[in-house]
Amino acid sequence: MPLPEDEDSAASSPACSNTSAPLASHDGEHEHEHEHEPHLDNNTSDTIKDYTSKAGTPSPWAVFDAWGAGEGIVDPLSPAEEALLSPEMVRIPTDDDASDEWAALPNETDILQSYDKLLKRKSSVHFGYPYNLMYNHEELYEFMKYSINNLGDPFITSNYGVHSRQFECSVIEFFAKLWKMEEGEYWGYVTTCGTEGNLH
């Protein structure tokens, strides 16, 4: 959703322009091929106000609160970077594709770098849906190499050993104490999202 404009303090920036620009293909040819396609960054206003400079505590989902985005507003993707994320460029080739079609596709590193920049950009101007972007989970990076799965009832021993059930049960106990529940009189599990939690 577009951010509100502030005529007094916000200035239009060429780097934040929403004007349509032709997208270049990976090999530099057919530069007008994607000219009329919707851009990945077309929901950001040309003028963006810093809502964290006001008095008081900034909203946990306000502009500049995104830890992953770094400091300030990140510039939009260039047309060439946007082209790397087009359906044609991110499609998964099959054995039926001709070898020259395979060769025309960009490598995964370039695609992921453009995607990372897109996420930084979107996070740096994020405002609206109420979730907290102000977190730093670098301590958990080490555990991303494991296939951790708390399948089933967290209070029943599983035959799958790569789990974090001890932490899941600790979270359930924490909330049970907040609600002054007696030990042994509660049950639960950590849901995958708030929406699933609301269903219960």
Side-chain angles (χ1 to χ4, degrees):
M1 123 181 141
L3 296 177
E5 297 182 4
D6 184 356
E7 296 178 358
D8 296 327
S9 61
S12 179
S13 168
C16 297
S17 174
N18 280 336
T19 55
S20 177
L23 296 180
S25 63
H26 179 61
D27 57 6
E29 298 178 357
H30 313 295
E31 61 178 7
H32 299 288
E33 182 178 347
H34 304 284
E35 184 173 0
H36 301 294
E37 291 183 3
H39 284 209
L40 296 170
D41 197 38
N42 62 358
N43 65 341
T44 302
S45 174
D46 290 342
T47 54
I48 299 172
K49 179 178 178 180
D50 179 1
Y51 287 87
T52 63
S53 60
K54 61 186 178 182
T57 303
S59 160
W61 52 86
V63 178
F64 298 151
D65 272 1
W67 165 75
E71 295 293 330
I73 294 177
V74 178
D75 291 335
L77 272 64
S78 68
E81 289 170 328
E82 282 205 17
L84 287 174
L85 298 176
S86 68
E88 295 83 2
M89 294 295 104
V90 301
R91 70 183 183 86
I92 302 172
T94 65
D95 292 337
D96 295 331
D97 293 314
S99 58
D100 57 337
E101 293 181 359
W102 280 58
L105 295 176
N107 63 59
E108 291 86 351
T109 300
D110 292 339
I111 292 174
L112 293 176
Q113 286 176 347
S114 292
Y115 182 57
D116 181 57
K117 183 175 179 180
L118 175 67
L119 294 181
K120 287 180 180 178
R121 163 68 178 174
K122 291 294 188 180
S123 296
S124 74
V125 297
H126 174 76
F127 183 79
Y129 193 82
Y131 46 68
N132 190 356
L133 298 182
M134 191 62 176
Y135 58 81
N136 182 333
H137 51 219
E138 287 179 300
E139 283 187 303
L140 302 179
Y141 286 178
E142 180 69 16
F143 303 100
M144 297 301 292
K145 62 187 178 184
Y146 303 109
S147 182
I148 299 174
N149 193 326
N150 289 5
L151 69 164
D153 190 326
F155 295 96
I156 298 177
T157 303
S158 172
N159 59 3
Y160 185 73
V162 187
H163 62 76
S164 62
R165 302 164 92 86
Q166 62 272 50
F167 301 111
E168 183 177 18
C169 290
S170 179
V171 170
I172 297 168
E173 179 186 13
F174 171 80
F175 283 101
K177 287 182 177 179
L178 288 181
W179 294 324
K180 303 186 184 306
M181 295 181 175
E182 297 292 333
E183 185 174 356
E185 296 298 317
Y186 58 84
W187 179 90
Y189 68 98
V190 176
T191 66
T192 56
C193 61
T195 302
E196 183 184 352
N198 290 338
L199 296 176
H200 298 281

